[in-house]
Amino acid sequence: PPGDSSVVLQAQEEIIEMKDVFSVKLKRRRFVGQKKGGTLLGITIFKCLNKEENKLTDCAIHLNNLSEDHCQSWFRHLKEILNGFQNRPKSLKVFVNPSSHKREATHVYYEQVAPLFKLADIKTDVTVTEYEGHALSVLKECELQAFDGVVCVGGDGSVSEVAHGLLLKAQIDAGKDTDYIPTPVRAPVPLGVIPAGTTNVLAHTLYGIKHAVTATLHIVMGHIQPVDVCTFSTPSKLLRFGFSAMFGFGARTLALAEKHRWMPSSQRKDFAFIKTLADLKPEECELSFLPQQIPQEDSHENDRITLLYLGSKDQWHKIQGHFLNVSIMAIPCLCSMAPRGLAPNTRLNNGSMALIVVQNTSRTEFIKHLKRYASVKNQFNFPFVETYTVQEVKVQPRLKSGLDAKENTYLNAASAEGNYPWNIDGDLMKEASEVHVRVHPQLINLYGVNTDDLESSQATCNCI
């Protein structure tokens, strides 16, 4: 109709797809301090824009219309469409770790994240964690049915604790014995990761970038990605759920950094890295692994026959030796240091883990291998690096015995104290005994996208 809406027609035409819209508001002119009422000017639509390099941002489009009736009916209609989108959360349980990297998480949450949640009419219940294990104890008591998702604002350590808590709660609710969980049940709600820590491997892997607004918009838009999870157990108990782990260099570096918590985080990491390189020592251990079974596409009947021909399904392979580093990763683990990922041969949800074994070698060669992570060159193309695609791994450190023992009494005592640190998702675990790692396909949904599909991750991988 002529009149009111002609203002818009003079502007250039733009097509807005509703799937990109996350909020609609009535726009009113109000005086300073006026909370309610005001002259109606039209409606404002907020949409999610995809910028270059995987960055998402929000933008507002104003549609001017002075008719109260028109605006109300458009507003109702648009709200109805928005409510129809399935995976978009309406209420979220949020954990903010105030002590992560430079204490910036609280700041990031209240300045960049909370306003977007509010704009999208998402209700939030926020816990600012006060000590390590706080999120875990809150999750154990939490009625997860009340929420559509759980969000963690922090670095890899805090995200790992929340993911572990979410999965542990799922097992408790399913009445499972949490000491031994051969077949865990899936997490009941998705997990959102807002990067605000020193290391943000999970955020990088899910969004291709460390950017709080991008992460928030993936959550608001309900972009969901099923992800594989590992269980780490000793023969007697479940240690934790996680996505990736390192034993050897990657764990010793973390253990040393944790001892120097008083240093600023970037200095602490550099110091630990250099000191561990200077004292580079291999770990003597035995690795057993079950290679990934290639599933047959046929019916179950044929499967049984095929397996009979292939021999036993459980063909464990063993390697013994001196290893500088062992990585076991169910996800590619992208980060600024490794743009192609620490484990580029695996995917977020292909049901397998990458086992990367670095045999003992000279410090110079080891450094060459580490440097390759930052380039597009193949970091595994060394005679001392072996990669396997596996579904289970057992790691058993070998303690010194016999004649060596006298010279190594100190070493033995240290080993007995659990001097075999593990780095699980950036969290330090001290376990001296055998650790058994299993992968569980698509055990959790994470908000985000599959970075294999993002345009910047086109570095092809020719590792195998």
Side-chain angles (χ1 to χ4, degrees):
D4 306 336
S5 53
S6 59
V7 195
V8 183
L9 294 179
Q10 291 156 13
Q12 78 190 77
E13 284 190 21
E14 187 183 343
I15 293 170
I16 299 168
E17 289 198 50
M18 282 306 288
K19 70 174 175 55
D20 298 330
V21 174
F22 66 88
S23 179
V24 53
K25 301 280 181 216
L26 289 169
K27 186 184 176 194
R28 299 182 183 275
R29 180 186 291 127
R30 290 190 177 140
F31 302 111
V32 179
Q34 187 180 354
K35 287 276 187 286
K36 285 222 161 69
T39 319
L40 184 71
L41 301 174
I43 59 177
T44 303
I45 289 172
F46 294 89
K47 67 173 233 182
C48 173
L49 266 186
N50 205 335
K51 297 184 84 170
E52 74 291 340
E53 289 175 344
N54 312 324
K55 225 178 224 182
L56 300 184
T57 177
D58 56 307
C59 80
I61 296 155
H62 305 292
L63 305 175
N64 304 332
N65 189 319
L66 304 178
S67 148
E68 189 83 44
D69 285 354
H70 271 170
C71 286
Q72 287 292 356
S73 71
W74 267 90
F75 178 72
R76 272 200 308 275
H77 186 60
L78 291 173
K79 280 295 257 191
E80 216 167 279
I81 296 173
L82 289 185
N83 287 336
F85 287 114
Q86 284 304 298
N87 292 331
R88 297 195 179 179
K90 305 253 192 312
S91 84
L92 293 169
K93 173 74 202 149
V94 180
F95 291 96
V96 179
N97 176 4
S99 60
S100 66
H101 184 56
K102 296 181 182 161
R103 314 219 174 297
E104 67 187 20
T106 321
H107 193 67
V108 165
Y109 179 72
Y110 288 107
E111 293 200 358
Q112 298 177 39
V113 181
L116 283 170
F117 284 165
K118 186 169 189 277
L119 194 57
D121 298 317
I122 296 171
K123 292 189 185 68
T124 53
D125 177 348
V126 182
T127 298
V128 178
T129 56
E130 289 161 27
Y131 51 89
E132 200 176 318
H134 188 177
L136 184 60
S137 56
V138 170
L139 276 166
K140 277 187 181 170
E141 302 303 311
C142 184
E143 287 303 326
L144 289 172
Q145 304 84 291
F147 303 102
D148 300 318
V150 172
V151 170
C152 176
V153 188
D156 287 331
S158 10
V159 174
S160 168
E161 182 186 323
V162 171
H164 172 63
L166 187 56
L167 281 159
L168 202 59
K169 173 69 171 155
Q171 312 316 310
I172 294 167
D173 289 351
K176 289 194 172 263
D177 164 18
T178 52
D179 274 345
Y180 177 69
I181 313 174
T183 51
V185 296
R186 297 194 77 215
V189 293
L191 169 63
V193 177
I194 310 274
T198 323
T199 54
N200 298 278
V201 167
L202 206 55
H204 254 284
T205 308
L206 288 167
Y207 318 122
I209 188 172
K210 179 196 171 182
H211 187 238
V213 168
T214 296
T216 309
L217 286 167
H218 278 299
I219 296 169
V220 166
M221 303 301 284
H223 296 157
I224 279 181
Q225 201 49 50
V227 177
D228 300 341
V229 180
C230 306
T231 46
F232 297 88
S233 332
T234 62
S236 57
K237 70 175 205 294
L238 171 80
L239 295 173
R240 69 182 303 155
F241 289 96
F243 302 97
S244 67
M246 282 186 276
F247 177 77
F249 181 79
R252 293 212 175 274
T253 308
L254 179 69
L256 196 58
E258 288 297 314
K259 271 188 183 158
H260 293 79
R261 274 312 259 188
W262 50 271
M263 284 185 175
S265 63
S266 56
Q267 267 176 289
R268 178 171 77 226
K269 293 186 80 174
D270 290 349
F271 162 78
F273 186 80
I274 292 160
K275 181 103 173 66
T276 312
L277 259 184
D279 304 338
L280 193 62
K281 285 188 197 76
E283 313 283 349
E284 191 183 343
C285 63
E286 179 180 287
L287 301 174
S288 338
F289 61 89
L290 200 52
Q292 177 64 14
Q293 297 292 326
I294 298 153
Q296 304 292 324
E297 293 299 313
D298 305 313
S299 70
H300 292 293
E301 277 309 307
N302 292 4
D303 261 1
R304 215 165 291 135
I305 299 159
T306 324
L307 286 175
L308 287 174
Y309 283 123
L310 288 175
S312 158
K313 182 169 173 273
D314 297 330
Q315 288 285 299
W316 284 85
H317 294 229
K318 264 192 188 153
I319 32 179
Q320 281 180 333
H322 292 77
F323 307 119
L324 289 176
N325 193 56
V326 176
S327 303
I328 300 164
M329 300 183 162
I331 60 170
C333 294
L334 274 64
C335 60
S336 50
M337 302 290 289
R340 293 169 58 241
L342 296 172
N345 304 359
T346 193
R347 295 286 164 262
L348 280 176
N349 50 23
N350 62 355
S352 69
M353 301 182 284
L355 168 64
I356 302 157
V357 180
V358 183
Q359 303 268 9
N360 195 12
T361 184
S362 70
R363 187 180 291 115
T364 323
E365 287 295 297
F366 185 61
I367 291 170
K368 271 190 206 164
H369 159 66
L370 293 179
K371 275 188 170 167
R372 284 269 184 99
Y373 277 99
S375 74
V376 289
K377 281 189 184 158
N378 179 358
Q379 66 262 38
F380 307 130
N381 198 1
F382 290 97
F384 55 86
V385 181
E386 291 158 24
T387 60
Y388 305 92
T389 304
V390 301
Q391 52 193 29
E392 285 189 50
V393 184
K394 288 177 183 166
V395 180
Q396 208 163 6
R398 315 279 303 170
L399 298 178
K400 302 274 188 296
S401 60
L403 289 171
D404 293 348
K406 289 191 180 68
E407 297 161 33
N408 286 309
T409 33
Y410 161 72
L411 208 151
N412 251 357
S415 304
E417 278 168 27
N419 192 27
Y420 283 100
W422 276 79
N423 174 346
I424 299 180
D425 295 330
D427 254 1
L428 189 64
M429 304 284 289
K430 289 195 173 75
E431 282 303 325
S433 61
E434 176 185 319
V435 175
H436 187 172
V437 189
R438 282 192 189 86
V439 68
H440 305 279
Q442 308 192 5
L443 198 60
I444 195 170
N445 280 341
L446 295 178
Y447 287 107
V449 285
N450 199 332
T451 34
D452 302 341
D453 308 334
L454 293 174
E455 75 274 14
S456 77
S457 309
Q458 282 181 349
T460 53
C461 173
N462 53 1
C463 308
I464 300 173

